[in-house]
Amino acid sequence: VYGDSSRTVAPRSMIPEGGAFSWLLAGLIPALFSFGGAYHGTYIAGSVRNPERSVPRGIAGGIVVVLVAYLLVNVAFLGLLGHDGLAASKSPAAEATELALGPLAGKALAVVIVVSAAGILNTVCLGFPFVVYAMAKDGLFFRAAGKLDERTGRPALAVATQGMLASIAVVVGASRVDVLLTGIAFADAFFQAAVAVVHFRARKTPPSPGVLRAPLVATAVFFLLSVGIAIGSLVERPVESAYGALVFVLAVGIWALRRGSK
């Protein structure tokens, strides 16, 4: 199976129409999701011991582990299911495992995937609210979100706010998950490009003690990739990307509201 290259190469009839470059950029959206969580560790750096050392090591190590694991998993999927089977599969991990180890193993892996999904949800739900908390402390979001719960020491209101917004997004996009994911990816790419711009501007001032500064070349490459992904998504999937653009419109509105209230 693994020696049959015809099973791992997409037939020309399956290659979508349109410019190859723009489709390449649009195809980077899943990759953005795969590695987009690498920087989540920075959100809770204030609660980590020796963050200047442990956070960069954790991010670099996590990227390497995920990269190797994803490559090996995709080789296994293509070898077991083939390109056509992988494209048509709704649960490739379970189906590939079932082919290799039997029906019971496939069902067991499906349960493991559900548990893993719960784990990443826990990480996201507890990590992102610290961004909202920091924004509120800086006067960029509603002041009430900048308070920590006395019992847990966590930004409870920020957690609740994110949960509410996430629930609304799931309800609205339940019938079209592709719209939801593409919109989020577009917004995420735009956000990351904005972060790179902030890094460029920050280089004009001396770094504060304990602050890590990304290399200029890495920041530039990150910026170009983020902008490219956003453009590719907008060109090939304009309707889905519009939902992501709506997020920015709402964010600018909240920022303007907060600025006007000062």
Side-chain angles (χ1 to χ4, degrees), residues 23-34:
W23 272 106
L24 173 62
L25 294 177
L28 286 174
I29 292 177
L32 179 67
F33 273 104
S34 300

Side-chain angles (χ1 to χ4, degrees), residues 203-252:
R203 299 185 71 87
K204 298 179 180 180
T205 59
S208 302
V211 174
L212 298 175
R213 178 166 288 178
L216 180 60
V217 174
T219 305
V221 172
F222 184 78
F223 171 77
L224 292 175
L225 285 176
S226 298
V227 172
I229 291 172
I231 293 175
S233 175
L234 187 62
V235 171
E236 298 299 338
R237 301 173 184 175
V239 176
E240 294 90 336
S241 300
Y243 287 90
L246 179 61
V247 173
F248 280 97
V249 173
L250 293 175
V252 171

Side-chain angles (χ1 to χ4, degrees), residues 69-84:
Y70 275 31
L71 286 175
L72 293 177
V73 166
N74 277 278
V75 169
F77 285 173
L78 287 170
L80 291 167
L81 301 176
H83 189 280
D84 293 346

Side-chain angles (χ1 to χ4, degrees), residues 161 177 185:
T161 301
V177 178

Side-chain angles (χ1 to χ4, degrees), residues 27 41 46 52 54 57 60 68 77 100 120 129-130 137-138 145-146 168 170 175 182 195 228 243 248 255:
E52 294 86 356
S54 57
R57 287 187 174 185
V68 173
F77 285 173
I120 186 60
F130 278 95
K137 295 290 288 185
D138 291 342
I168 293 174
V170 170
S175 60
T182 303
V195 170
Y243 287 90
F248 280 97
W255 173 79

Side-chain angles (χ1 to χ4, degrees), residues 45-62:
S47 302
V48 177
R49 295 179 181 177
N50 194 11
E52 294 86 356
R53 179 182 180 184
S54 57
V55 171
R57 287 187 174 185
I59 291 176

Side-chain angles (χ1 to χ4, degrees), residues 165-210:
L165 294 176
S167 299
I168 293 174
V170 170
V171 171
V172 173
S175 60
R176 288 290 305 277
V177 178
D178 59 325
V179 174
L180 180 62
L181 293 181
T182 303
I184 293 175
F186 174 80
D188 212 17
F190 226 98
F191 162 75
Q192 292 175 357
V195 170
V197 172
V198 172
H199 275 273
F200 284 132
R201 292 178 60 87
R203 299 185 71 87
K204 298 179 180 180
T205 59
S208 302

